[in-house]
Amino acid sequence: MQPVAAAVERLQALADSPRIRALAERFADAGHELALVGGPVRDAFLGRDAHDLDFATSATPDEILAVIAPIADTHWDIGRAFGTIGARLGELTVELTTYRSDVYDGTTRKPVVAFGDSLEGDLLRRDFTVNAMALRLPEKVLVDPSGGLDDLLARRLRTPIEPEVSFGDDPLRMLRGARFTAQLGFALEPATASAIEAMAGRIDIVSAERVGEELSKLLLAPDPVPGLRVLVETGLAEHVLPELPALRLEIDEHAHHKDVYEHSLTALTQAIALERSRGHAPDLVLRLAVLLHDIGKPATRRIEPGGAVSFHHHDVLGAKLATKRLRELRFDGDTIKAVATLIRLHLRFFGYADTSWTDAAVRRYVRDAGEQLERLHILSRADVTTRNQRKAARLQRAYDELEERIAVLAEEEELAALRPDLDGEQIMAILGIRPGPEVGEAYRHLLELRLDEGPLGPEAAEARLREWWAARPPV
């Protein structure tokens, strides 16, 4: 947390930058109010740099355009229906929004846009007090009608007005509360948390796209786990991601097994640490896959003779459940496919740890993972959450060995390609056949040989192809 005096100096320096000063003067000359609002003001007190700046103004969208067009490098009005005009001013990207007071009418899935008439009124309609501060321009006066600075210093999330009213106006704010606990490391004020518990069902009127976007932002936070716990503990997860609270499997005296919910959160924390240590940026696909990798367990849980617990085929079912949930949340097809692939394959490594794999098995592991191989490496490693240090060390050594074998085979065999020694055109020329199912059968046969035996070379591959073709039953 930046000292208050330093943060104020930071805000004033930003306001004194030539581009912002010129913008503020143009709005003032045109008779309109202008203020820097929300995240950039909050982040100044947190010591964070602001790259995209949000402004609130008394000007209407048409009036904003009239002021901004002459000095902007480019501008756009894709958010015009919501009162927002975007522009680029040199290195700065800015959004300027007419004072707002959005509400839901209780039946629609999108907020009804209503323009307000004062900065204070606009701020009181925002989600949390820490986001409801503004720097009035060009005067450079801090406006904080709801005590946001005090809450910021206390690392507390509180709504500017009664939480029941705020969440009734826009239920998505409840999800934002979970997200900000993850992004900022703040805690929900008790009355705010209680209101979320009481009103969790209101999230159902929010569009799936908006819910999916908030969940994505939460998962991409430096530490998503506190936010996920808020979702589960307040009951929001029952409405937006019910597979997550379902992981809290009951543990009885006859079936002692690990709590799958806590295991999944621990695995996510470990995956994020591996993500960083391996030099990757925050990865939504990976984090979704780790969080959801065991969601097939509740439906496949069985008590075996002797009291052991099994979850046979939870990987296959989990991939199907994840696909269904992510489609309902309107995730894109590539993300859904990648997450499902990772969940379906997440148990594969444990077979390697138990028995020695042949080179053919290693090749198949790489082939089946495809573009998801690096993510599968991280997921498989993160999935080891046992407290048995000897077992954990053994599994880590096994995966180290597997990655080393993959690297050696890749160098020797161009493993990433994993194609047969002959392509479709060559297969048709050798066998004298036209395009059709037989070409695909031949291609797959050569691919299996490639996986089992490694590169054969064109001549040996042709001989094996002719041998297979001659032995093939007549159609």
Side-chain angles (χ1 to χ4, degrees), residues 33 56-58 98-101 115-126 136 143:
E33 297 178 6
T57 177
S58 59
T98 305
Y99 294 153
R100 296 256 299 263
S101 58
F115 294 144
D117 55 11
S118 73
L119 174 61
E120 288 77 6
D122 178 277
L123 294 175
L124 289 173
R125 280 297 185 183
R126 292 176 179 260
R136 196 183 290 276
V143 181

Side-chain angles (χ1 to χ4, degrees), residues 362 366 373 377 400-416:
V362 175
V366 174
L373 182 60
H377 288 333
D400 289 343
E401 179 187 321
L402 176 57
E403 287 204 62
E404 289 170 6
R405 288 184 64 186
I406 290 172
V408 170
L409 286 173
E411 185 175 353
E412 292 176 350
E413 304 179 7
E414 297 182 359
L415 195 57

Side-chain angles (χ1 to χ4, degrees), residues 58-74:
S58 59
T60 65
D62 287 342
E63 291 169 337
I64 294 172
L65 278 172
V67 172
I68 195 75
I71 62 171
D73 298 315
T74 184

Side-chain angles (χ1 to χ4, degrees), residues 215-216 218-220 224-225 227-229 231-232 237 240-241 243-245 247 260-269 271-272 283-296 318 322 325-326 329 331 339 342-343 379 382-383:
L215 288 175
S216 297
L218 190 163
L219 280 172
L220 289 171
V225 170
L228 294 169
R229 290 193 185 280
L231 291 183
V232 172
V240 301
L241 197 62
E243 294 80 6
L244 186 59
L247 294 177
V260 184
Y261 170 70
E262 291 297 336
H263 160 75
S264 298
L265 296 184
T266 300
L268 179 59
T269 298
I272 291 171
D283 184 346
L284 181 61
V285 167
L286 172 66
R287 296 182 183 198
L288 281 168
V290 177
L291 181 65
L292 303 178
H293 76 281
D294 275 345
I295 60 172
R325 177 57 54 196
L326 295 180
L329 291 170
F331 280 84
V339 170
L342 289 165
I343 294 174
L379 169 55
D383 197 20

Side-chain angles (χ1 to χ4, degrees), residues 129-209:
T129 60
V130 296
N131 298 325
M133 297 182 288
L135 187 71
R136 196 183 290 276
L137 301 174
E139 301 95 324
K140 295 183 287 187
V141 173
L142 184 68
V143 181
D144 181 14
S146 57
L149 182 55
D150 288 339
D151 288 336
L152 195 72
L153 294 171
R155 307 183 71 82
R156 177 173 57 220
L157 289 173
R158 182 173 60 87
T159 55
I161 56 177
E162 292 83 356
E164 294 80 5
V165 176
S166 181
F167 298 147
D169 286 348
D170 185 354
L172 189 70
R173 291 170 177 167
M174 296 186 289
L175 273 184
R176 287 191 191 132
R179 192 236 298 180
F180 286 130
T181 62
Q183 287 183 332
L184 303 177
F186 290 7
L188 288 171
E189 178 254 348
T192 302
S194 296
I196 295 176
E197 291 181 39
M199 302 179 66
R202 285 276 292 168
I203 199 68
D204 292 339
I205 73 168
V206 180
S207 68
E209 290 87 351

Side-chain angles (χ1 to χ4, degrees), residues 104-105 107-111 203-210:
Y104 275 84
D105 64 10
T107 57
T108 59
R109 295 172 69 85
K110 293 183 179 179
I203 199 68
D204 292 339
I205 73 168
V206 180
S207 68
E209 290 87 351
R210 296 182 77 206

